[in-house]
Amino acid sequence: MRNIALFLTYLGTAYHGWQVQKDLVTVGGTLEAAAEQVVGHRVHMTGCGRTDAGVHARVYVANFRTTSTIPCDRLPYALNTHLPPDIVVTQAREVSDGFNAIGSCVRKEYTYLIYNSRIRDPFYVNRAWFYPKHLDEKVMQAAGDQFVGTHDFAAVRSVGTDVKSTVRTVYDYRVRRQGQLLELRVCANGFLYNMARAMAGTVVYAAEGKFPPEAIGRILAEGNRTAAGPTVPPGGLYLTHLWYDNGTEQFELDAGPLI
């Protein structure tokens, strides 16, 4: 039995997230159906994370086991024949039996895009959050800096997935502006449900003057979700960088800047 890792990219607008759900169209379910047509038997796809409905992935990793002998360099072409145009497999790689797309991932980076202009741009609908009031990226960066380190991030997550701990380590939070687009990039060893989107909403709240950037440390310490910013819309969120190390395979996938 071969263990195959798939590298893919997708637009999440038409899907109810990654996770397979009965009677709902999901990225994972669509990929499983395509793989079953190619390899000729039922498969179970393990994804690197449960991206929410409407969230995109510039990079994503999934793995499955198969008895098929199709060479890895042929698999992307075969799979893409059975996939819709908004999901594309870019590479397939045979990995060790112990490789797991989520368990072997040691850190992730999400990027959130804000279209910060008084006039909306139709080409960014479901691709960036339209926000008409000017946002000061320096204040946003000062706010984002407060997330860096090991903290309890219960104040910036939505209830919905049971976890053993809400403590995570954020390695960096970078805010960059190019014209009317703001890019918020956060790298961590793991993310809670809606954590990246709630962090973005909290940074925006700081830029609006609803609380100073340095108040975020207190908000995290108190664990009060209502004191932090809102969970911003999913269309602006992208999975953009993945790091893997399971002792056998070490690699990373980096989509680079979005703006």
Side-chain angles (χ1 to χ4, degrees):
M1 185 76 74
R2 302 161 71 201
N3 189 12
I4 304 295
L6 300 176
F7 301 165
L8 57 145
T9 182
Y10 61 82
L11 285 171
T13 306
Y15 301 95
H16 292 267
W18 164 267
Q19 193 72 11
V20 175
Q21 300 181 58
K22 186 179 180 180
D23 300 326
L24 292 176
V25 179
T26 67
V27 179
T30 303
L31 187 61
E32 280 188 0
E36 288 168 8
Q37 289 181 284
V38 170
V39 302
H41 61 79
R42 294 289 301 272
V43 302
H44 171 70
M45 288 283 173
T46 298
C48 64
R50 290 187 174 190
T51 55
D52 300 330
V55 173
H56 318 294
R58 291 295 301 270
V59 294
Y60 196 91
V61 176
N63 75 289
F64 71 103
R65 286 172 169 78
T66 181
T67 55
S68 170
T69 59
I70 299 174
C72 283
D73 62 348
R74 297 284 302 278
L75 276 172
Y77 301 100
L79 288 165
N80 289 334
T81 300
H82 298 281
L83 286 169
D86 49 7
I87 303 174
V88 176
V89 176
T90 58
Q91 185 182 349
R93 179 186 300 183
E94 189 162 353
V95 290
S96 65
D97 188 63
F99 179 88
N100 179 285
I102 190 166
S104 301
C105 187
V106 294
R107 65 172 70 180
K108 300 174 184 176
E109 177 194 80
Y110 280 95
T111 300
Y112 196 83
L113 289 186
I114 300 173
Y115 188 71
N116 190 207
S117 170
R118 293 183 65 185
I119 304 295
R120 71 173 68 247
D121 186 329
F123 291 96
Y124 287 109
V125 173
N126 296 321
R127 304 289 188 274
W129 181 31
F130 170 60
Y131 195 89
K133 183 179 178 181
H134 179 74
L135 296 169
D136 187 332
E137 62 269 27
K138 293 181 180 178
V139 176
M140 297 174 78
Q141 182 62 69
D145 289 342
Q146 308 304 307
F147 291 123
V148 177
T150 301
H151 308 285
D152 186 331
F153 285 96
V156 284
R157 69 126 177 189
S158 298
V159 176
T161 303
D162 291 331
V163 292
K164 293 180 180 179
S165 172
T166 50
V167 174
R168 297 290 186 273
T169 298
V170 170
Y171 300 108
D172 63 333
Y173 199 107
R174 290 167 288 162
V175 179
R176 185 168 74 98
R177 176 185 285 276
Q178 184 168 309
Q180 294 161 320
L181 281 171
L182 282 164
E183 180 188 73
L184 283 59
R185 302 174 76 92
V186 55
C187 174
N189 64 350
F191 288 84
L192 302 166
Y193 182 48
N194 283 341
M195 176 174 156
R197 289 162 58 193
M199 293 169 87
T202 302
V203 165
V204 168
Y205 260 27
E208 287 181 337
K210 294 188 175 178
F211 45 71
E214 55 271 18
I216 292 175
R218 173 182 52 78
I219 291 171
L220 292 178
E222 293 176 352
N224 184 356
R225 179 68 190 92
T226 60
T231 300
V232 294
L237 188 62
Y238 300 75
L239 184 58
T240 50
H241 201 153
L242 297 167
W243 289 259
Y244 277 86
D245 186 354
N246 70 342
T248 302
E249 288 92 0
Q250 296 89 28
F251 61 87
E252 62 181 278
L253 300 175
D254 183 9
L258 297 186
I259 63 174

